[in-house]
Amino acid sequence: MIRTSLLAGFATLALLSAPAMAQNITSLNNTAAGVGNVAVQNAFTKQKGGGFLGGPNIISMGNTAAGVGNLAVQNGTVLQKSPKVGPLGVPFGGGNQFQANNMAAGIGNFAKQNAFGIQK
């Protein structure tokens, strides 16, 4: 009976610290579509989640130049950190979210994006 309780406790602990509880989602897009196309992308992203109910860290950057003369340049540096420590020293999940979009559509197209974000 004690063994069953211990196994149930370990199973609950394993479920609470499962990878679904600590998510890092990153999406970086850079597109130049049309006739003259140049697309340059530099990206550095560091996300740290996890722990007990560690929240999702989400990054989404998009840079698009569509048309005839196209040039799209994107530079991004993002550092995000979770979880936060709550009362009684218990960590709880926090969500860090970063999103940056840049678009130029037409005939002379130039789209340049520089983004820098630190979230803790």
Side-chain angles (χ1 to χ4, degrees):
M1 193 154 148
I2 294 174
R3 185 179 73 183
T4 305
S5 299
L6 287 175
L7 289 177
F10 285 124
T12 303
L13 182 62
L15 286 175
L16 289 177
S17 62
M21 303 300 264
Q23 295 179 357
N24 295 321
I25 300 170
T26 302
S27 176
L28 298 169
N29 299 314
N30 190 21
T31 303
V35 177
N37 311 327
V38 174
V40 176
Q41 184 181 36
N42 295 318
F44 172 77
T45 178
K46 181 179 180 182
Q47 293 180 333
K48 184 178 180 182
F52 180 68
L53 295 177
N57 296 319
I58 299 170
I59 296 173
S60 177
M61 294 181 69
N63 188 24
T64 303
V68 177
N70 313 322
L71 175 66
V73 177
Q74 184 181 33
N75 297 316
T77 300
V78 178
L79 301 171
Q80 291 179 330
K81 183 180 179 182
S82 277
K84 299 169 182 68
V85 177
L88 301 177
V90 177
F92 64 95
N96 295 322
Q97 191 169 8
F98 179 88
Q99 182 175 352
N101 295 313
N102 189 20
M103 177 183 281
I107 295 181
N109 311 327
F110 174 78
K112 183 178 180 180
Q113 184 181 37
N114 294 318
F116 175 75
I118 295 176
Q119 294 177 336
K120 289 186 177 185

XYZ file of all heavy atoms in Angstrom:
835
model
N 0.820 -1.191 0.000
C 0.000 0.000 0.000
C 0.861 1.250 0.000
O 0.558 2.209 -0.685
C -0.911 -0.032 1.222
C -1.993 0.975 1.173
S -3.346 0.367 2.162
C -3.996 1.849 2.737
N 1.924 1.221 0.759
C 2.835 2.351 0.753
C 3.541 2.439 -0.598
O 3.740 3.524 -1.139
C 3.862 2.214 1.902
C 3.152 2.328 3.254
C 4.945 3.265 1.780
C 4.050 2.053 4.418
N 3.883 1.287 -1.156
C 4.541 1.266 -2.454
C 3.622 1.839 -3.534
O 4.055 2.585 -4.402
C 4.960 -0.158 -2.802
C 5.763 -0.219 -4.079
C 6.186 -1.606 -4.380
N 5.004 -2.333 -4.838
C 4.989 -3.613 -5.149
N 6.079 -4.333 -5.013
N 3.902 -4.192 -5.577
N 2.339 1.543 -3.500
C 1.389 2.076 -4.473
C 1.284 3.586 -4.360
O 1.240 4.295 -5.366
C -0.003 1.440 -4.255
O 0.129 0.021 -4.293
C -0.959 1.888 -5.328
N 1.270 4.091 -3.123
C 1.216 5.541 -2.928
C 2.477 6.214 -3.449
O 2.425 7.282 -4.056
C 1.029 5.871 -1.447
O -0.190 5.333 -0.984
N 3.631 5.613 -3.208
C 4.875 6.178 -3.705
C 4.920 6.181 -5.228
O 5.361 7.153 -5.845
C 6.075 5.411 -3.147
C 6.401 5.651 -1.674
C 7.534 4.743 -1.233
C 6.758 7.099 -1.442
N 4.466 5.088 -5.846
C 4.449 5.036 -7.304
C 3.492 6.062 -7.885
O 3.780 6.687 -8.902
C 4.076 3.629 -7.773
C 5.143 2.558 -7.547
C 4.630 1.197 -7.980
C 6.414 2.916 -8.294
N 2.354 6.262 -7.242
C 1.415 7.282 -7.709
C 2.014 8.679 -7.563
O 1.831 9.535 -8.434
C 0.103 7.181 -6.930
N 2.738 8.903 -6.499
C 3.391 10.195 -6.306
C 4.450 10.457 -7.363
O 4.540 11.550 -7.918
N 5.256 9.438 -7.681
C 6.269 9.612 -8.720
C 5.638 9.795 -10.098
O 6.134 10.551 -10.919
C 7.243 8.430 -8.728
C 8.219 8.464 -7.593
C 8.326 7.391 -6.731
C 9.035 9.565 -7.386
C 9.214 7.414 -5.684
C 9.933 9.597 -6.334
C 10.021 8.513 -5.479
N 4.537 9.100 -10.347
C 3.844 9.258 -11.624
C 3.274 10.668 -11.756
O 3.337 11.274 -12.828
C 2.733 8.218 -11.754
N 2.734 11.208 -10.680
C 2.216 12.579 -10.708
C 3.345 13.572 -10.930
O 3.209 14.515 -11.707
C 1.493 12.885 -9.383
O 0.468 11.923 -9.183
C 0.896 14.276 -9.414
N 4.467 13.368 -10.275
C 5.619 14.242 -10.462
C 6.126 14.181 -11.901
O 6.466 15.198 -12.493
C 6.731 13.862 -9.486
C 7.990 14.718 -9.529
C 7.645 16.166 -9.173
C 9.031 14.165 -8.593
N 6.138 12.983 -12.474
C 6.575 12.843 -13.865
C 5.622 13.546 -14.824
O 6.044 14.159 -15.800
C 6.698 11.367 -14.220
N 4.344 13.495 -14.550
C 3.370 14.176 -15.407
C 3.476 15.687 -15.285
O 3.301 16.407 -16.261
C 1.952 13.726 -15.058
C 1.576 12.325 -15.521
C 0.185 11.962 -15.014
C 1.640 12.222 -17.025
N 3.756 16.183 -14.096
C 3.856 17.630 -13.912
C 5.118 18.213 -14.531
O 5.151 19.385 -14.906
C 3.796 17.983 -12.424
C 2.431 17.801 -11.769
C 2.514 18.110 -10.287
C 1.396 18.682 -12.430
N 6.160 17.414 -14.642
C 7.397 17.918 -15.235
C 7.616 17.354 -16.631
O 8.735 17.261 -17.099
C 8.579 17.581 -14.336
O 8.703 16.184 -14.221
N 6.545 16.984 -17.298
C 6.633 16.435 -18.649
C 7.049 17.512 -19.634
O 6.875 18.701 -19.381
C 5.276 15.841 -19.038
N 7.590 17.144 -20.780
C 8.006 18.135 -21.773
C 6.874 19.008 -22.280
O 7.118 20.093 -22.780
C 8.568 17.274 -22.906
C 8.961 16.010 -22.274
C 8.007 15.809 -21.143
N 5.648 18.558 -22.157
C 4.521 19.387 -22.588
C 4.348 20.598 -21.682
O 3.737 21.578 -22.077
C 3.242 18.557 -22.607
N 4.885 20.544 -20.502
C 4.774 21.658 -19.578
C 5.856 22.697 -19.829
O 5.730 23.820 -19.400
C 4.864 21.153 -18.132
C 3.826 20.126 -17.790
S 2.181 20.755 -17.987
C 1.841 21.241 -16.340
N 6.932 22.317 -20.463
C 8.022 23.243 -20.730
C 8.222 23.319 -22.237
O 8.883 22.482 -22.813
C 9.293 22.763 -20.044
N 7.631 24.311 -22.861
C 7.668 24.400 -24.310
C 8.469 25.600 -24.767
O 8.368 26.676 -24.194
C 6.256 24.506 -24.870
C 5.416 23.288 -24.630
C 4.024 23.452 -25.193
O 3.677 24.489 -25.719
N 3.234 22.425 -25.077
N 9.239 25.410 -25.777
C 9.926 26.486 -26.472
C 9.531 26.400 -27.929
O 9.744 25.381 -28.566
C 11.445 26.348 -26.335
C 11.904 26.511 -24.915
O 11.396 27.344 -24.195
N 12.860 25.716 -24.505
N 8.963 27.447 -28.454
C 8.507 27.465 -29.839
C 9.187 28.623 -30.552
O 9.101 29.763 -30.120
C 6.983 27.619 -29.911
C 6.305 26.453 -29.199
C 6.524 27.710 -31.348
C 4.837 26.639 -29.007
N 9.865 28.344 -31.640
C 10.568 29.379 -32.389
C 10.188 29.282 -33.855
O 10.213 28.206 -34.431
C 12.094 29.203 -32.261
O 12.437 29.252 -30.887
C 12.825 30.282 -33.010
N 9.853 30.403 -34.454
C 9.569 30.450 -35.878
C 10.197 31.708 -36.459
O 9.810 32.814 -36.101
C 8.055 30.441 -36.116
O 7.787 30.567 -37.489
N 11.172 31.545 -37.322
C 11.838 32.664 -37.979
C 11.627 32.545 -39.479
O 11.945 31.525 -40.071
C 13.339 32.646 -37.663
C 13.709 32.802 -36.206
C 15.178 32.507 -35.993
C 13.383 34.205 -35.747
N 11.110 33.591 -40.097
C 10.824 33.569 -41.517
C 11.486 34.747 -42.207
O 11.452 35.864 -41.714
C 9.305 33.632 -41.754
C 8.601 32.451 -41.134
O 9.034 31.331 -41.278
N 7.522 32.708 -40.427
N 12.045 34.503 -43.362
C 12.620 35.555 -44.190
C 12.331 35.201 -45.640
O 12.716 34.135 -46.101
C 14.121 35.669 -43.933
C 14.712 36.892 -44.583
O 14.010 37.837 -44.887
N 16.008 36.867 -44.800
N 11.664 36.096 -46.358
C 11.245 35.784 -47.717
C 11.443 36.984 -48.626
O 11.035 38.090 -48.287
C 9.747 35.386 -47.745
O 9.553 34.288 -46.873
C 9.314 35.014 -49.133
N 12.036 36.778 -49.753
C 12.043 37.761 -50.833
C 11.519 37.051 -52.068
O 12.126 36.099 -52.545
C 13.442 38.310 -51.075
N 10.383 37.469 -52.568
C 9.749 36.794 -53.698
C 9.465 37.795 -54.800
O 9.020 38.894 -54.549
C 8.447 36.138 -53.245
N 9.755 37.446 -56.001
C 9.520 38.332 -57.129
C 10.598 38.145 -58.164
O 10.953 37.031 -58.505
N 11.164 39.245 -58.641
C 12.122 39.176 -59.736
C 13.563 39.378 -59.270
O 14.438 38.594 -59.592
C 11.755 40.217 -60.833
C 12.769 40.205 -61.945
C 10.370 39.933 -61.367
N 13.879 40.402 -58.486
C 15.264 40.735 -58.189
C 15.863 40.108 -56.956
O 17.042 40.263 -56.685
N 15.209 39.348 -56.256
C 15.287 38.761 -54.922
C 16.633 38.608 -54.225
O 17.514 37.919 -54.691
C 14.679 37.367 -54.977
C 13.373 37.397 -55.636
O 12.666 38.363 -55.513
N 13.031 36.351 -56.363
N 16.734 39.229 -53.071
C 17.831 38.980 -52.134
C 17.215 38.875 -50.749
O 16.462 39.743 -50.341
C 18.880 40.122 -52.148
C 19.919 39.909 -51.066
C 19.533 40.206 -53.507
N 17.510 37.827 -50.026
C 17.006 37.647 -48.666
C 18.161 37.265 -47.750
O 18.846 36.276 -47.993
C 15.924 36.579 -48.624
N 18.385 38.028 -46.723
C 19.472 37.781 -45.765
C 18.862 37.718 -44.375
O 18.088 38.600 -44.003
C 20.538 38.903 -45.828
C 21.600 38.678 -44.769
C 21.146 38.965 -47.201
N 19.204 36.702 -43.617
C 18.655 36.547 -42.274
C 19.751 36.153 -41.303
O 20.484 35.202 -41.535
C 17.551 35.499 -42.268
C 16.871 35.338 -40.946
C 15.800 34.270 -40.978
O 15.966 33.268 -41.642
N 14.728 34.486 -40.260
N 19.855 36.875 -40.200
C 20.739 36.539 -39.091
C 19.871 36.419 -37.843
O 19.155 37.349 -37.508
C 21.795 37.617 -38.874
C 22.737 37.733 -40.045
O 23.153 36.730 -40.597
N 23.057 38.943 -40.426
N 19.955 35.295 -37.164
C 19.089 35.095 -36.009
C 19.838 34.389 -34.892
O 20.555 33.415 -35.123
C 17.870 34.284 -36.403
N 19.676 34.871 -33.688
C 20.172 34.218 -32.485
C 19.027 34.179 -31.497
O 18.456 35.207 -31.160
C 21.349 34.972 -31.884
C 21.767 34.457 -30.538
C 22.488 33.301 -30.421
C 21.413 35.140 -29.390
C 22.865 32.815 -29.197
C 21.779 34.668 -28.148
C 22.519 33.498 -28.057
N 18.658 33.014 -31.063
C 17.581 32.886 -30.095
C 17.982 31.905 -29.009
O 18.544 30.859 -29.274
C 16.279 32.437 -30.788
O 15.253 32.284 -29.815
C 16.455 31.143 -31.526
N 17.721 32.277 -27.786
C 17.984 31.411 -26.646
C 16.758 31.434 -25.757
O 16.373 32.475 -25.250
C 19.206 31.880 -25.875
C 19.542 31.007 -24.695
C 20.766 31.508 -23.981
C 21.086 30.616 -22.797
N 22.259 31.106 -22.058
N 16.155 30.301 -25.583
C 14.976 30.193 -24.734
C 15.247 29.177 -23.657
O 15.744 28.098 -23.924
C 13.772 29.762 -25.558
C 13.322 30.783 -26.539
C 12.129 30.320 -27.353
O 11.932 29.146 -27.562
N 11.349 31.265 -27.807
N 14.891 29.532 -22.447
C 15.068 28.615 -21.337
C 13.766 28.546 -20.568
O 13.325 29.517 -19.989
C 16.199 29.070 -20.429
C 16.484 28.120 -19.315
C 17.652 28.585 -18.477
C 17.911 27.595 -17.360
N 19.009 28.033 -16.497
N 13.159 27.415 -20.601
C 11.939 27.172 -19.846
C 12.174 25.997 -18.930
O 13.289 25.690 -18.572
N 11.109 25.341 -18.590
C 11.224 24.122 -17.820
C 10.855 24.313 -16.376
O 10.343 25.343 -15.978
N 11.125 23.282 -15.619
C 10.750 23.309 -14.219
C 9.290 22.958 -14.038
O 8.612 22.497 -14.947
N 8.813 23.229 -12.883
C 7.438 22.919 -12.541
C 6.518 23.949 -13.196
O 6.556 25.113 -12.879
C 7.280 22.920 -11.022
C 5.894 22.607 -10.563
C 5.358 21.359 -10.740
C 5.141 23.583 -9.948
C 4.088 21.077 -10.295
C 3.868 23.314 -9.505
C 3.346 22.050 -9.689
N 5.722 23.504 -14.120
C 4.810 24.348 -14.894
C 5.553 25.471 -15.631
O 5.094 26.602 -15.674
C 3.719 24.945 -14.006
C 2.742 23.959 -13.386
C 1.779 24.680 -12.482
C 2.004 23.193 -14.449
N 6.708 25.154 -16.169
C 7.460 26.138 -16.936
C 6.706 26.530 -18.184
O 6.238 25.687 -18.925
N 6.588 27.801 -18.406
C 5.720 28.291 -19.451
C 6.308 28.196 -20.839
O 7.489 27.951 -21.017
N 5.470 28.401 -21.812
C 5.960 28.392 -23.183
C 6.672 29.689 -23.520
O 6.184 30.772 -23.232
C 4.676 28.245 -24.008
C 3.608 28.812 -23.161
C 4.013 28.533 -21.747
N 7.851 29.573 -24.073
C 8.566 30.708 -24.628
C 8.320 30.683 -26.124
O 8.660 29.715 -26.782
C 10.062 30.615 -24.355
C 10.374 30.666 -22.883
O 9.773 31.430 -22.148
N 11.307 29.863 -22.441
N 7.743 31.723 -26.656
C 7.337 31.724 -28.061
C 8.008 32.884 -28.779
O 7.921 34.025 -28.332
C 5.817 31.842 -28.183
C 5.142 30.651 -27.514
C 5.401 31.931 -29.631
C 3.660 30.792 -27.387
N 8.667 32.608 -29.887
C 9.282 33.631 -30.716
C 8.748 33.476 -32.128
O 8.756 32.388 -32.674
C 10.812 33.495 -30.740
C 11.392 33.730 -29.356
C 11.410 34.469 -31.725
C 12.843 33.444 -29.277
N 8.317 34.559 -32.712
C 7.890 34.521 -34.106
C 8.362 35.795 -34.792
O 7.958 36.888 -34.412
C 6.362 34.404 -34.191
O 5.959 34.437 -35.540
N 9.235 35.672 -35.773
C 9.705 36.813 -36.538
C 9.422 36.559 -38.010
O 9.625 35.471 -38.504
C 11.209 37.021 -36.344
C 11.593 37.417 -34.951
S 13.363 37.687 -34.792
C 13.545 39.168 -35.749
N 8.984 37.559 -38.724
C 8.752 37.426 -40.149
C 9.249 38.651 -40.885
O 9.093 39.782 -40.433
N 9.878 38.451 -42.002
C 10.383 39.537 -42.831
C 10.097 39.177 -44.279
O 10.522 38.127 -44.743
C 11.880 39.723 -42.594
C 12.422 40.948 -43.269
O 11.687 41.877 -43.542
N 13.699 40.965 -43.541
N 9.382 40.022 -44.992
C 8.957 39.690 -46.343
C 9.103 40.888 -47.266
O 8.679 41.987 -46.919
C 7.481 39.238 -46.351
O 7.338 38.137 -45.462
C 7.043 38.826 -47.729
N 9.675 40.694 -48.407
C 9.640 41.675 -49.488
C 9.149 40.950 -50.732
O 9.781 40.004 -51.189
C 11.013 42.285 -49.728
N 8.021 41.359 -51.256
C 7.421 40.680 -52.399
C 7.117 41.687 -53.489
O 6.584 42.741 -53.225
C 6.149 39.961 -51.974
N 7.480 41.402 -54.690
C 7.236 42.306 -55.809
C 8.275 42.123 -56.870
O 8.607 41.009 -57.236
N 8.858 43.223 -57.335
C 9.800 43.159 -58.454
C 11.247 43.377 -58.010
O 12.122 42.613 -58.350
C 9.401 44.183 -59.550
C 10.406 44.176 -60.673
C 8.013 43.865 -60.062
N 11.561 44.392 -57.219
C 12.953 44.720 -56.956
C 13.564 44.110 -55.718
O 14.726 44.306 -55.428
N 12.954 43.285 -55.033
C 13.017 42.757 -53.676
C 14.365 42.641 -52.966
O 15.298 42.057 -53.478
C 12.436 41.350 -53.683
C 11.165 41.323 -54.410
O 10.411 42.251 -54.311
N 10.931 40.285 -55.167
N 14.401 43.169 -51.768
C 15.492 42.933 -50.829
C 14.891 42.840 -49.436
O 14.185 43.739 -49.007
C 16.523 44.061 -50.868
C 17.648 43.992 -49.841
C 18.542 42.794 -50.099
C 18.430 45.275 -49.857
N 15.142 41.770 -48.738
C 14.641 41.577 -47.374
C 15.810 41.200 -46.472
O 16.476 40.197 -46.711
C 13.563 40.509 -47.338
N 16.061 41.978 -45.466
C 17.160 41.738 -44.522
C 16.574 41.681 -43.121
O 15.839 42.579 -42.718
C 18.228 42.855 -44.603
C 19.308 42.629 -43.564
C 18.817 42.915 -45.991
N 16.890 40.656 -42.371
C 16.364 40.494 -41.022
C 17.480 40.121 -40.067
O 18.223 39.178 -40.315
C 15.277 39.427 -40.998
C 14.615 39.248 -39.667
C 13.569 38.157 -39.693
O 13.721 37.201 -40.409
N 12.534 38.318 -38.903
N 17.598 40.840 -38.983
C 18.534 40.523 -37.903
C 17.734 40.397 -36.616
O 16.982 41.285 -36.267
C 19.588 41.627 -37.740
C 20.451 41.768 -38.966
O 20.877 40.776 -39.528
N 20.680 42.988 -39.388
N 17.892 39.315 -35.904
C 17.123 39.147 -34.670
C 17.937 38.493 -33.575
O 18.625 37.506 -33.808
N 17.854 39.027 -32.405
C 18.476 38.443 -31.219
C 17.454 38.455 -30.104
O 16.975 39.513 -29.723
C 19.711 39.245 -30.781
O 20.646 39.245 -31.853
C 20.340 38.639 -29.558
N 17.097 37.307 -29.596
C 16.072 37.206 -28.565
C 16.560 36.270 -27.465
O 17.009 35.166 -27.742
C 14.746 36.675 -29.145
C 13.706 36.531 -28.066
C 14.234 37.579 -30.237
N 16.487 36.700 -26.243
C 16.794 35.874 -25.079
C 15.568 35.864 -24.169
O 15.111 36.915 -23.752
C 17.992 36.432 -24.315
C 19.286 36.549 -25.092
C 20.312 37.304 -24.277
C 19.798 35.179 -25.459
N 15.061 34.709 -23.859
C 13.889 34.596 -22.989
C 14.156 33.577 -21.898
O 14.810 32.572 -22.138
C 12.668 34.179 -23.802
C 12.192 35.232 -24.750
C 10.995 34.800 -25.554
O 10.820 33.634 -25.830
N 10.180 35.747 -25.929
N 13.608 33.818 -20.724
C 13.830 32.915 -19.600
C 12.570 32.790 -18.769
O 11.929 33.776 -18.456
C 14.976 33.429 -18.737
C 15.325 32.528 -17.598
C 16.471 33.104 -16.788
C 16.801 32.206 -15.617
N 17.869 32.749 -14.791
N 12.213 31.601 -18.392
C 11.157 31.256 -17.453
C 11.645 30.032 -16.697
O 12.571 29.396 -17.112
C 9.855 30.913 -18.175
O 9.146 32.058 -18.507
N 11.092 29.597 -15.659
C 9.943 30.086 -14.914
C 10.341 31.100 -13.862
O 11.510 31.306 -13.592
C 9.403 28.829 -14.254
C 10.603 27.992 -14.023
C 11.536 28.291 -15.169
N 9.346 31.703 -13.307
C 9.535 32.645 -12.217
C 9.299 31.917 -10.899
O 8.619 30.924 -10.852
C 8.562 33.813 -12.379
C 8.786 34.575 -13.664
C 7.647 35.540 -13.917
C 7.843 36.258 -15.210
N 7.724 35.393 -16.377
N 9.853 32.453 -9.849
C 9.681 31.822 -8.543
C 8.613 32.580 -7.773
O 8.687 33.793 -7.616
C 11.011 31.801 -7.756
C 10.810 31.209 -6.386
C 12.047 31.026 -8.529
N 7.609 31.857 -7.338
C 6.484 32.452 -6.643
C 6.654 32.417 -5.141
O 7.755 32.210 -4.623
N 5.563 32.598 -4.445
C 5.618 32.563 -2.984
C 6.016 31.178 -2.476
O 5.737 30.174 -3.119
C 4.196 32.918 -2.563
C 3.351 32.666 -3.744
C 4.218 32.853 -4.943
N 6.703 31.156 -1.388
C 7.211 29.932 -0.754
C 8.273 29.250 -1.605
O 8.534 28.072 -1.450
C 6.069 28.960 -0.449
C 4.957 29.471 0.475
C 3.865 28.436 0.616
C 5.533 29.825 1.829
N 8.870 29.961 -2.550
C 9.929 29.391 -3.367
C 9.470 28.391 -4.401
O 10.267 27.635 -4.922
N 8.179 28.370 -4.702
C 7.640 27.421 -5.660
C 7.679 28.049 -7.049
O 7.091 29.105 -7.267
C 6.186 27.038 -5.295
C 5.610 26.098 -6.328
C 6.142 26.410 -3.922
N 8.377 27.430 -8.019
C 8.394 27.986 -9.372
C 7.072 27.759 -10.078
O 6.446 26.726 -9.924
C 9.517 27.210 -10.049
C 9.651 25.964 -9.280
C 9.230 26.264 -7.879
N 6.639 28.758 -10.797
C 5.431 28.597 -11.602
C 5.714 29.107 -12.999
O 6.643 29.865 -13.222
C 4.245 29.326 -10.969
C 4.406 30.815 -10.893
C 3.884 31.627 -11.892
C 5.069 31.403 -9.841
C 4.041 32.997 -11.826
C 5.230 32.771 -9.781
C 4.716 33.567 -10.776
N 4.917 28.648 -13.924
C 5.160 28.939 -15.330
C 4.879 30.376 -15.686
O 3.972 31.009 -15.181
N 5.674 30.878 -16.569
C 5.463 32.201 -17.113
C 5.657 32.132 -18.603
O 6.498 31.404 -19.088
N 4.881 32.877 -19.332
C 4.994 32.843 -20.777
C 5.715 34.059 -21.298
O 5.312 35.179 -21.040
N 6.807 33.879 -21.977
C 7.492 34.944 -22.678
C 7.122 34.833 -24.146
O 7.199 33.763 -24.723
C 9.008 34.822 -22.524
C 9.455 35.005 -21.101
O 8.911 35.826 -20.376
N 10.432 34.247 -20.682
N 6.744 35.924 -24.731
C 6.332 35.900 -26.121
C 6.927 37.090 -26.851
O 6.869 38.216 -26.367
C 4.810 35.937 -26.208
C 4.272 35.656 -27.579
C 2.771 35.432 -27.559
O 2.119 35.639 -26.545
N 2.239 35.009 -28.666
N 7.514 36.843 -28.014
C 8.157 37.879 -28.806
C 7.707 37.724 -30.248
O 7.786 36.651 -30.807
C 9.673 37.729 -28.703
C 10.448 38.731 -29.496
C 10.779 39.942 -28.949
C 10.839 38.457 -30.777
C 11.497 40.858 -29.662
C 11.556 39.371 -31.513
C 11.889 40.573 -30.954
N 7.250 38.796 -30.853
C 6.817 38.732 -32.237
C 7.194 40.014 -32.956
O 6.920 41.107 -32.466
C 5.304 38.517 -32.325
C 4.803 38.388 -33.737
C 3.329 38.061 -33.786
O 2.706 37.790 -32.767
N 2.772 38.081 -34.974
N 7.812 39.897 -34.109
C 8.185 41.055 -34.913
C 7.910 40.743 -36.378
O 8.318 39.697 -36.871
C 9.655 41.386 -34.717
N 7.221 41.634 -37.063
C 6.872 41.436 -38.466
C 7.294 42.640 -39.280
O 7.161 43.778 -38.841
C 5.358 41.221 -38.618
C 4.900 39.954 -37.942
O 5.500 38.915 -38.113
N 3.842 40.054 -37.159
N 7.761 42.395 -40.478
C 8.192 43.461 -41.375
C 7.864 43.051 -42.798
O 8.225 41.956 -43.224
C 9.692 43.706 -41.209
C 10.159 44.943 -41.938
O 9.362 45.816 -42.251
N 11.434 45.020 -42.208
N 7.195 43.932 -43.562
C 6.792 43.584 -44.912
C 6.874 44.785 -45.835
O 6.485 45.882 -45.466
C 5.355 43.043 -44.931
C 4.842 42.726 -46.323
S 3.143 42.176 -46.347
C 3.370 40.491 -45.832
N 7.381 44.574 -47.014
C 7.317 45.563 -48.079
C 6.835 44.852 -49.333
O 7.460 43.896 -49.780
C 8.680 46.199 -48.319
N 5.737 45.296 -49.875
C 5.166 44.660 -51.072
C 4.915 45.724 -52.128
O 4.376 46.773 -51.840
C 3.874 43.938 -50.718
N 5.326 45.461 -53.318
C 5.137 46.418 -54.394
C 6.198 46.250 -55.451
O 6.645 45.144 -55.717
N 6.656 47.352 -56.020
C 7.610 47.270 -57.127
C 9.022 47.653 -56.702
O 9.962 47.076 -57.106
C 7.121 48.134 -58.310
C 5.841 47.538 -58.834
C 8.158 48.213 -59.404
C 5.236 48.238 -60.000
N 9.285 48.537 -55.844
C 10.671 48.886 -55.524
C 11.256 48.192 -54.327
O 12.357 48.498 -53.918
N 10.684 47.204 -53.799
C 10.683 46.651 -52.443
C 11.993 46.603 -51.675
O 12.979 46.055 -52.140
C 10.164 45.221 -52.495
C 8.916 45.137 -53.249
O 8.145 46.063 -53.218
N 8.713 44.054 -53.945
N 11.930 47.125 -50.467
C 13.042 47.043 -49.511
C 12.446 46.853 -48.138
O 11.639 47.656 -47.691
C 13.889 48.318 -49.553
C 14.956 48.364 -48.522
C 16.120 47.651 -48.674
C 14.796 49.131 -47.382
C 17.112 47.697 -47.732
C 15.782 49.180 -46.422
C 16.954 48.462 -46.609
N 12.807 45.810 -47.464
C 12.338 45.561 -46.100
C 13.530 45.178 -45.235
O 14.210 44.200 -45.516
C 11.290 44.463 -46.077
N 13.780 45.960 -44.213
C 14.885 45.680 -43.300
C 14.355 45.677 -41.880
O 13.622 46.577 -41.493
C 15.977 46.722 -43.449
C 17.179 46.457 -42.581
C 18.262 47.476 -42.793
C 19.436 47.170 -41.899
N 20.519 48.143 -42.070
N 14.751 44.692 -41.106
C 14.252 44.553 -39.742
C 15.388 44.214 -38.804
O 16.135 43.271 -39.049
C 13.172 43.471 -39.687
C 12.531 43.319 -38.347
C 11.491 42.233 -38.340
O 11.674 41.222 -38.993
N 10.431 42.427 -37.609
N 15.499 44.960 -37.752
C 16.418 44.661 -36.651
C 15.612 44.543 -35.374
O 14.882 45.468 -35.027
C 17.474 45.755 -36.491
C 18.403 45.831 -37.671
O 18.832 44.808 -38.195
N 18.710 47.027 -38.112
N 15.725 43.436 -34.699
C 14.945 43.242 -33.481
C 15.835 42.645 -32.392
O 16.594 41.720 -32.635
C 13.773 42.315 -33.747
N 15.727 43.200 -31.194
C 16.492 42.731 -30.050
C 15.569 42.687 -28.854
O 14.922 43.674 -28.531
C 17.673 43.668 -29.773
C 18.443 43.327 -28.546
C 19.306 42.250 -28.555
C 18.299 44.058 -27.395
C 20.021 41.922 -27.435
C 19.001 43.741 -26.270
C 19.880 42.662 -26.295
N 15.437 41.557 -28.214
C 14.532 41.453 -27.072
C 15.087 40.564 -25.986
O 15.593 39.493 -26.254
N 14.996 41.026 -24.766
C 15.372 40.235 -23.599
C 14.181 40.196 -22.669
O 13.668 41.233 -22.272
C 16.579 40.846 -22.863
C 17.820 40.802 -23.736
C 16.837 40.098 -21.573
C 19.008 41.469 -23.098
N 13.764 39.018 -22.330
C 12.654 38.850 -21.387
C 13.047 37.820 -20.346
O 13.625 36.803 -20.672
C 11.387 38.382 -22.122
C 10.833 39.403 -23.070
C 9.624 38.874 -23.830
O 9.461 37.683 -23.991
N 8.811 39.781 -24.293
N 12.742 38.112 -19.106
C 13.051 37.166 -18.036
C 11.813 36.871 -17.260
O 10.940 37.635 -17.138
C 14.119 37.709 -17.109
C 15.473 37.746 -17.757
C 16.526 38.145 -16.757
C 17.885 38.102 -17.387
N 18.942 38.371 -16.422
